[in-house]
Amino acid sequence: KGRVALVTGASVGIGAAVARALVQHGMKVVGCARSVDKIEKLAAECQSAGYQGTLIPYKCDLSSEEEILSMFSAIKTLHQGVDVCINNAGLARPESLLSGKTDGWRTMIDVNILALSICTREAYQSMKERNVDDGHIININSMSGHRVVPSSVVHFYSATKYAVTALTEGLRQELREAKTHIRASCISPGLVETEFAFRLHDKNPEKAAATYESIKCLKAEDIASAVTFVLSVPPHMQIGDIQIRPVEQVS
Ligand code: NJP
């Protein structure tokens, strides 16, 4: 309550649900994405619902380091800094290894790995300069960061999520070496019904719809409740990774 949280990719899907849940819990949330109009709408909804916290929409293209750094300096001016960083923004492009386009691979690296790493570094520096010892960095990973599914369209995406697994564990170790009590966790969902598959199969919306109709999927709110759980555990407890799959998901 009263803590400042940055949620990346807060315009739709999991990020929007996480931002809403944190505002409901009384946090001062900065939600960023490119479609800032959607976050403005969410902020208005949170306000009319009478939630205790606040949501400040911030327009940021996370594939630009410059824009990320400007956002952190705006947060410093507004709220002194961040106490919690939820690295949620992410995407998959249908670029296989044998015939995928380099640009598609690069977009995934830029957002899924680089933006997450830059936000992590900036959030840590912000906590350090304000002596925030109970900060928390949570990465929204994927089950694809733990096993490779036999589907060429997501192999490269999966590789970026394996990187998130390594980065979260590496971060945990670096935080220990830095002798701080700031915590690092990740949450690894299976299939969640959001715009994710529609963006992946943007040329084939029927395929995206079929993905979500194939089984009873998770809801974005299920992942948001995992985030609030991770943030609620006592300070001596650190959740490493929570893997959450729909009951009907096989792989
Ligand atoms: O995806 P979606 P989810 N700059 O597509 C933002 C992981 N996950 O909520 O800029 C800034 O509905 C985008 O904002 P906008 C997944 O890998 C999901 O399902 O306005 N923001 C939007 O807010 C990801 O890490 C599933 O377009 C950028 C958000 O990211 C996380 O969950 C399964 C951006 C994407 O919303 C959230 O995904 C799984 C940029 N350049 C893991 N590019 C699943 N849904 O099934 C994108 O295992 N965003």
Side-chain angles (χ1 to χ4, degrees), residues 22 125 133 155 182 192 203 237:
L22 299 187
Q125 293 299 336
D133 201 39
H155 286 161
I182 296 167
V192 189
K203 297 198 172 54
M237 253 177 93

Side-chain angles (χ1 to χ4, degrees), residues 21 29 197 229 247:
V29 178
F229 168 70
V247 170

